[in-house]
Coordinates of all heavy atoms in Angstrom, one line a residue:
Y1 N -8.7 -5.0 -9.9 CA -7.7 -5.8 -10.6 C -6.3 -5.3 -10.2 O -6.0 -4.0 -10.2 CB -7.9 -5.7 -12.1 CG -7.1 -6.8 -12.9 CD1 -7.6 -8.0 -13.1 CD2 -5.8 -6.5 -13.4 CE1 -6.9 -9.0 -13.8 CE2 -5.1 -7.5 -14.1 CZ -5.7 -8.7 -14.3 OH -5.0 -9.7 -15.0
I2 N -5.4 -6.2 -9.9 CA -4.0 -5.9 -9.7 C -3.2 -6.1 -11.0 O -3.3 -7.3 -11.5 CB -3.4 -6.7 -8.6 CG1 -4.1 -6.3 -7.2 CG2 -1.9 -6.4 -8.4 CD1 -3.6 -7.1 -6.1
D3 N -2.5 -5.1 -11.5 CA -1.9 -5.3 -12.9 C -0.7 -6.2 -12.8 O -0.5 -7.1 -13.7 CB -1.4 -3.9 -13.4 CG -2.6 -3.0 -13.6 OD1 -3.7 -3.5 -14.0 OD2 -2.5 -1.8 -13.3
K4 N 0.2 -6.1 -11.8 CA 1.3 -7.0 -11.7 C 1.9 -6.9 -10.3 O 1.7 -6.0 -9.5 CB 2.4 -6.6 -12.7 CG 3.0 -5.3 -12.5 CD 4.1 -5.0 -13.6 CE 4.6 -3.6 -13.4 NZ 5.7 -3.3 -14.4
I5 N 2.7 -8.0 -9.9 CA 3.4 -8.0 -8.6 C 4.8 -8.4 -8.9 O 5.1 -9.4 -9.7 CB 2.7 -9.0 -7.7 CG1 1.3 -8.5 -7.3 CG2 3.5 -9.2 -6.4 CD1 0.5 -9.5 -6.4
A6 N 5.8 -7.8 -8.3 CA 7.2 -8.1 -8.4 C 7.8 -8.2 -7.1 O 7.5 -7.4 -6.2 CB 7.9 -7.1 -9.3
F7 N 8.8 -9.1 -6.9 CA 9.5 -9.1 -5.6 C 10.8 -9.9 -5.9 O 11.0 -10.5 -6.9 CB 8.7 -9.8 -4.5 CG 8.4 -11.2 -4.7 CD1 9.2 -12.2 -4.3 CD2 7.2 -11.6 -5.4 CE1 8.9 -13.6 -4.5 CE2 6.9 -12.9 -5.6 CZ 7.7 -13.9 -5.1
K8 N 11.7 -9.9 -4.9 CA 13.0 -10.6 -5.0 C 13.0 -11.7 -3.9 O 12.6 -11.5 -2.8 CB 14.1 -9.6 -4.7 CG 14.3 -8.6 -5.8 CD 15.5 -7.7 -5.5 CE 15.6 -6.6 -6.6 NZ 16.7 -5.7 -6.3
A9 N 13.4 -12.9 -4.4 CA 13.5 -14.1 -3.5 C 14.9 -14.4 -3.2 O 15.7 -14.8 -4.1 CB 12.8 -15.3 -4.1
Y10 N 15.4 -14.1 -2.0 CA 16.7 -14.5 -1.6 C 16.7 -15.9 -1.0 O 15.8 -16.1 -0.2 CB 17.3 -13.5 -0.6 CG 17.5 -12.1 -1.0 CD1 16.5 -11.2 -1.3 CD2 18.8 -11.7 -1.3 CE1 16.7 -9.9 -1.7 CE2 19.1 -10.4 -1.7 CZ 18.0 -9.5 -1.9 OH 18.3 -8.2 -2.4
F11 N 17.6 -16.7 -1.3 CA 17.6 -18.0 -0.7 C 19.0 -18.5 -0.4 O 20.0 -18.1 -1.0 CB 16.9 -19.1 -1.5 CG 17.4 -19.2 -2.9 CD1 18.4 -20.1 -3.2 CD2 16.8 -18.5 -4.0 CE1 18.9 -20.2 -4.5 CE2 17.3 -18.6 -5.3 CZ 18.3 -19.5 -5.5
Q12 N 19.1 -19.3 0.6 CA 20.4 -19.8 1.0 C 20.3 -21.3 1.4 O 19.3 -21.7 1.9 CB 21.0 -19.0 2.2 CG 20.1 -19.1 3.5 CD 20.6 -18.3 4.6 OE1 20.0 -17.3 5.0 NE2 21.7 -18.7 5.2
S13 N 21.4 -22.0 1.2 CA 21.5 -23.4 1.6 C 21.9 -23.5 3.1 O 22.3 -22.5 3.7 CB 22.5 -24.1 0.7 OG 22.1 -24.1 -0.6
S14 N 21.9 -24.7 3.6 CA 22.3 -24.9 5.0 C 23.6 -25.6 5.0 O 24.0 -26.5 4.1 CB 21.2 -25.8 5.7 OG 21.7 -26.2 7.0
S15 N 24.4 -25.3 6.0 CA 25.7 -26.0 6.2 C 25.6 -27.3 6.9 O 26.6 -28.1 7.0 CB 26.7 -25.0 7.0 OG 26.1 -24.7 8.3
D16 N 24.5 -27.6 7.4 CA 24.3 -28.9 8.1 C 23.0 -29.6 7.7 O 22.2 -30.1 8.5 CB 24.3 -28.7 9.6 CG 23.3 -27.6 10.1 OD1 22.5 -27.2 9.2 OD2 23.3 -27.2 11.2
N17 N 22.8 -29.6 6.4 CA 21.7 -30.4 5.8 C 20.3 -29.9 6.2 O 19.4 -30.7 6.4 CB 21.8 -31.9 6.0 CG 21.0 -32.7 5.1 OD1 20.7 -32.3 4.0 ND2 20.5 -33.9 5.6
G18 N 20.1 -28.6 6.4 CA 18.8 -28.1 6.7 C 18.5 -27.8 8.1 O 17.4 -27.4 8.4
Y19 N 19.4 -28.1 9.0 CA 19.1 -27.9 10.5 C 19.2 -26.5 10.8 O 18.4 -26.0 11.6 CB 20.1 -28.7 11.3 CG 19.9 -28.6 12.8 CD1 18.8 -29.3 13.4 CD2 20.7 -27.8 13.6 CE1 18.6 -29.1 14.8 CE2 20.4 -27.6 14.9 CZ 19.4 -28.3 15.5 OH 19.2 -28.2 16.9
S20 N 20.2 -25.7 10.3 CA 20.3 -24.3 10.6 C 20.8 -23.5 9.4 O 21.4 -24.1 8.5 CB 21.3 -24.2 11.8 OG 22.6 -24.6 11.4
F21 N 20.4 -22.2 9.5 CA 20.8 -21.3 8.4 C 21.4 -20.1 9.0 O 20.7 -19.4 9.8 CB 19.5 -20.9 7.5 CG 19.0 -22.1 6.8 CD1 18.0 -22.9 7.4 CD2 19.3 -22.3 5.5 CE1 17.5 -24.0 6.7 CE2 18.8 -23.4 4.8 CZ 17.8 -24.2 5.4
D22 N 22.6 -19.8 8.8 CA 23.3 -18.6 9.4 C 23.1 -17.4 8.4 O 23.7 -17.4 7.4 CB 24.8 -18.9 9.5 CG 25.5 -17.9 10.4 OD1 24.9 -16.8 10.6 OD2 26.6 -18.1 10.8
R23 N 22.3 -16.5 8.8 CA 22.1 -15.3 8.0 C 23.3 -14.4 7.8 O 23.5 -13.8 6.8 CB 20.9 -14.5 8.5 CG 19.5 -15.3 8.4 CD 18.4 -14.5 9.0 NE 17.1 -15.2 8.9 CZ 16.0 -14.8 9.5 NH1 16.0 -13.7 10.2 NH2 14.9 -15.5 9.4
D24 N 24.1 -14.4 8.9 CA 25.3 -13.5 8.8 C 26.4 -14.1 7.9 O 27.2 -13.4 7.4 CB 25.8 -13.3 10.2 CG 24.9 -12.5 11.1 OD1 24.1 -11.6 10.5 OD2 24.8 -12.7 12.3
N25 N 26.4 -15.4 7.9 CA 27.4 -16.1 7.0 C 26.7 -17.1 6.1 O 26.8 -18.3 6.3 CB 28.5 -16.9 7.9 CG 29.2 -15.9 8.8 OD1 30.0 -15.1 8.3 ND2 29.0 -16.0 10.1
A26 N 25.9 -16.6 5.2 CA 25.0 -17.4 4.4 C 25.8 -18.3 3.5 O 26.9 -18.0 3.0 CB 24.2 -16.5 3.5
V27 N 25.3 -19.5 3.3 CA 25.9 -20.5 2.5 C 25.2 -20.5 1.1 O 24.0 -20.7 1.1 CB 25.8 -21.9 3.1 CG1 26.4 -23.0 2.2 CG2 26.6 -21.9 4.4
G28 N 25.9 -20.3 0.0 CA 25.3 -20.4 -1.3 C 24.1 -19.4 -1.5 O 23.1 -19.8 -2.1
E29 N 24.3 -18.2 -1.0 CA 23.2 -17.2 -1.1 C 23.0 -16.8 -2.5 O 24.0 -16.4 -3.2 CB 23.5 -16.0 -0.2 CG 22.3 -15.0 -0.1 CD 22.5 -13.9 0.9 OE1 23.7 -13.6 1.1 OE2 21.6 -13.4 1.4
E30 N 21.8 -16.8 -3.0 CA 21.5 -16.4 -4.4 C 20.2 -15.5 -4.3 O 19.5 -15.5 -3.3 CB 21.3 -17.6 -5.3 CG 22.5 -18.4 -5.4 CD 22.3 -19.6 -6.4 OE1 21.8 -19.4 -7.5 OE2 22.6 -20.7 -6.0
I31 N 19.9 -14.9 -5.5 CA 18.7 -14.1 -5.5 C 18.0 -14.3 -6.9 O 18.6 -14.5 -7.9 CB 19.0 -12.6 -5.4 CG1 17.7 -11.7 -5.5 CG2 20.0 -12.1 -6.4 CD1 18.0 -10.3 -5.2
E32 N 16.7 -14.4 -6.9 CA 15.9 -14.5 -8.1 C 14.8 -13.4 -8.1 O 14.1 -13.2 -7.0 CB 15.2 -15.9 -8.2 CG 16.2 -17.0 -8.3 CD 15.5 -18.4 -8.4 OE1 14.3 -18.4 -8.3 OE2 16.2 -19.4 -8.5
T33 N 14.7 -12.7 -9.1 CA 13.6 -11.7 -9.3 C 12.4 -12.3 -9.9 O 12.4 -13.0 -10.9 CB 14.1 -10.5 -10.1 OG1 15.3 -9.9 -9.5 CG2 13.0 -9.5 -10.3
K34 N 11.2 -12.1 -9.2 CA 10.0 -12.6 -9.7 C 9.1 -11.6 -10.2 O 8.8 -10.5 -9.6 CB 9.3 -13.4 -8.5 CG 10.1 -14.4 -7.8 CD 10.5 -15.6 -8.8 CE 11.3 -16.6 -8.0 NZ 11.7 -17.7 -8.9
M35 N 8.5 -11.8 -11.4 CA 7.5 -10.9 -12.0 C 6.3 -11.7 -12.2 O 6.3 -12.6 -13.1 CB 8.1 -10.3 -13.3 CG 9.3 -9.4 -13.2 SD 8.9 -7.8 -12.4 CE 7.9 -7.1 -13.6
L36 N 5.2 -11.4 -11.5 CA 4.0 -12.2 -11.5 C 2.9 -11.5 -12.3 O 2.8 -10.2 -12.2 CB 3.5 -12.6 -10.1 CG 4.6 -13.3 -9.2 CD1 4.0 -13.6 -7.8 CD2 5.0 -14.6 -9.9
P37 N 2.1 -12.2 -13.0 CA 1.0 -11.5 -13.8 C -0.1 -10.9 -13.0 O -0.1 -11.1 -11.8 CB 0.5 -12.7 -14.7 CG 0.7 -13.9 -13.8 CD 2.0 -13.6 -13.1
G38 N -1.0 -10.2 -13.6 CA -2.1 -9.6 -12.9 C -3.1 -10.6 -12.5 O -3.1 -11.7 -12.9
I39 N -4.0 -10.1 -11.6 CA -5.0 -11.0 -11.0 C -6.2 -10.2 -10.5 O -6.0 -9.0 -10.0 CB -4.4 -11.8 -9.8 CG1 -5.4 -12.9 -9.3 CG2 -4.0 -10.9 -8.7 CD1 -4.8 -13.8 -8.3
A40 N -7.4 -10.7 -10.7 CA -8.6 -10.0 -10.3 C -8.8 -10.1 -8.8 O -8.4 -11.1 -8.2 CB -9.8 -10.6 -11.0
I41 N -9.5 -9.1 -8.2 CA -9.7 -9.1 -6.8 C -11.1 -9.5 -6.5 O -12.1 -9.0 -7.0 CB -9.5 -7.6 -6.2 CG1 -8.1 -7.2 -6.5 CG2 -9.8 -7.6 -4.7 CD1 -7.9 -5.7 -6.2
K42 N -11.3 -10.5 -5.6 CA -12.6 -11.0 -5.2 C -13.1 -10.2 -4.1 O -12.4 -9.7 -3.2 CB -12.5 -12.5 -4.8 CG -12.0 -13.5 -5.8 CD -11.9 -14.9 -5.3 CE -11.4 -15.8 -6.3 NZ -11.2 -17.2 -5.8
D43 N -14.5 -10.1 -4.0 CA -15.1 -9.4 -2.9 C -15.3 -10.2 -1.7 O -14.9 -11.4 -1.6 CB -16.5 -8.9 -3.4 CG -16.9 -7.6 -2.7 OD1 -16.2 -7.2 -1.7 OD2 -17.9 -7.0 -3.2
Y44 N -15.8 -9.6 -0.6 CA -16.0 -10.3 0.7 C -16.9 -11.5 0.5 O -17.8 -11.5 -0.3 CB -16.6 -9.3 1.7 CG -15.7 -8.1 1.9 CD1 -16.3 -6.8 1.7 CD2 -14.4 -8.2 2.4 CE1 -15.5 -5.7 1.9 CE2 -13.7 -7.0 2.6 CZ -14.2 -5.8 2.4 OH -13.5 -4.7 2.6

């Protein structure tokens, strides 16, 4: 069993309606922290 999983989701908008995303000059860059519940591990 995994007790919990946490990570950060960074996201940015596009300056040309989704055609390109400039990581060096991000548009509307935001961050959301995710805390996910535990989950059982299945076998092979």
Side-chain angles (χ1 to χ4, degrees):
Y1 195 85
I2 296 177
D3 298 325
K4 64 180 179 180
I5 295 176
F7 64 93
K8 294 179 180 179
Y10 293 76
F11 56 87
Q12 62 181 112
S13 301
S14 173
S15 57
D16 51 9
N17 198 30
Y19 180 76
S20 60
F21 295 86
D22 189 348
R23 292 178 181 171
D24 295 328
N25 299 291
V27 177
E29 186 175 28
E30 299 181 49
I31 180 175
E32 293 178 1
T33 299
K34 305 296 181 183
M35 296 291 292
L36 304 180
I39 188 170
I41 301 173
K42 298 178 183 178
D43 209 347
Y44 303 118

